[in-house]
Amino acid sequence: EAQVTQNPRYLITVTGKKLTVTCSQNMNHEYMSWYRQDPGLGLRQIYYSMNVEVTDKGDVPEGYKVSRKEKRNFPLILESPSPNQTSLYFCASSSAGGQPQHFGDGTRLSIL
Amino acid sequence: QKEVEQDPGPLSVPEGAIVSLNCTYSNSAFQYFMWYRQYSRKGPELLMYTYSSGNKEDGRFTAQVDKSSKYISLFIRDSQPSDSATYLCALEGGNNNDMRFGAGTRLTVKP
């Protein structure tokens, strides 16, 4: 089954404690991206990757890092989380940039 | 002004009603238009994908694009309780294949 898998699905943590949200896709997609979803603001892109070792900033990259060492994996790293990063996060992938994306089921992060 | 405007609702209709969901946009560089459906606690899933002005039909769903007015719509015929979800419009275009999403409209179809 084609899917994008995110872990964890839920996380409550404290300010400043580094965390990583993993994302993996099994569709051999070139393009992967991370979004955050906040009420009234919709989905906003954090970072995207056109291919292995190629990443670029989206609209709201501050406070986040990513890496793309393998085609299937695209982890999101919060090195020093802050309360304003409390949000619902989605990883997505597609065959190429601009194409319809497959989304994971989301990770709800709460940073106290 | 946001690049993509979508009425967040909520919208509540009786089963069997025709539903109309809409988005307006300001950037004429957008060339591809999508509608996603998002159930509670799930990620968005693609419903419709189109790149031209006019109508595209798929079962009970019709996507309509009017590039001259920068207006897109999704119509749902014979709405069902299982259609209750949040619907997101998404637009893509420009030099960097920029993707922009509307804020989503929450729809409830009552039996």
Side-chain angles (χ1 to χ4, degrees):
Chain A
E1 180 190 353
Q3 57 185 7
V4 177
T5 303
Q6 298 178 223
N7 281 296
R9 292 291 312 279
Y10 304 91
L11 179 64
I12 301 174
T13 188
V14 296
T15 299
K17 186 176 181 181
K18 180 179 179 179
L19 67 92
T20 299
V21 185
T22 63
C23 174
S24 180
Q25 51 94 3
N26 64 359
M27 294 165 280
N28 201 36
H29 282 165
E30 303 281 334
Y31 183 93
M32 297 185 74
S33 61
W34 276 102
Y35 295 88
R36 60 179 289 174
Q37 187 176 39
D38 301 289
L41 297 178
L43 285 163
R44 293 180 293 166
Q45 193 177 54
I46 302 170
Y47 269 95
Y48 65 95
S49 170
M50 300 291 281
N51 212 328
V52 175
E53 301 291 2
V54 179
T55 63
D56 212 341
K57 296 177 181 179
D59 297 317
V60 288
E62 295 78 20
Y64 305 94
K65 283 178 58 177
V66 293
S67 67
R68 186 94 182 272
K69 293 181 168 40
E70 305 165 284
K71 197 172 188 179
R72 64 183 292 128
N73 296 324
F74 191 44
L76 179 69
I77 303 157
L78 285 72
E79 298 235 331
S80 184
S82 62
N84 65 10
Q85 293 176 298
T86 293
S87 187
L88 180 57
Y89 291 85
F90 288 99
C91 180
S93 72
S94 63
S95 55
Q99 295 299 304
Q101 297 179 58
H102 293 253
F103 284 83
D105 282 337
T107 296
R108 185 166 291 282
L109 285 183
S110 293
I111 300 167
L112 306 177
Chain B
Q1 181 189 10
K2 291 181 182 177
E3 279 192 283
V4 181
E5 298 276 0
Q6 183 177 8
D7 187 339
L11 182 62
S12 181
V13 301
E15 183 175 353
I18 297 174
V19 176
S20 173
L21 305 166
N22 312 293
C23 287
T24 59
Y25 62 97
S26 56
N27 188 347
S28 58
F30 291 129
Q31 296 297 319
Y32 298 89
F33 307 92
M34 287 152 272
W35 285 95
Y36 286 84
R37 178 176 61 195
Q38 184 177 13
Y39 289 116
S40 181
R41 296 188 180 84
K42 303 289 277 185
E45 57 178 339
L46 182 70
L47 264 183
M48 302 288 281
Y49 176 59
T50 184
Y51 57 86
S52 59
S53 283
N55 294 349
K56 180 178 181 180
E57 190 173 316
D58 184 0
R60 296 184 295 110
F61 299 91
T62 300
Q64 188 175 81
V65 175
D66 182 346
K67 288 186 178 180
S68 62
S69 301
K70 298 188 179 67
Y71 190 87
I72 65 172
S73 301
L74 178 71
F75 298 97
I76 307 175
R77 289 185 301 280
D78 187 24
S79 55
Q80 303 295 309
S82 59
D83 295 327
S84 298
T86 296
Y87 290 80
L88 302 152
C89 62
L91 295 79
E92 183 271 330
N95 294 333
N96 296 320
N97 297 125
D98 289 335
M99 183 83 77
R100 292 288 181 270
F101 288 82
T105 300
R106 183 187 294 182
L107 171 68
T108 301
V109 180
K110 296 185 174 181

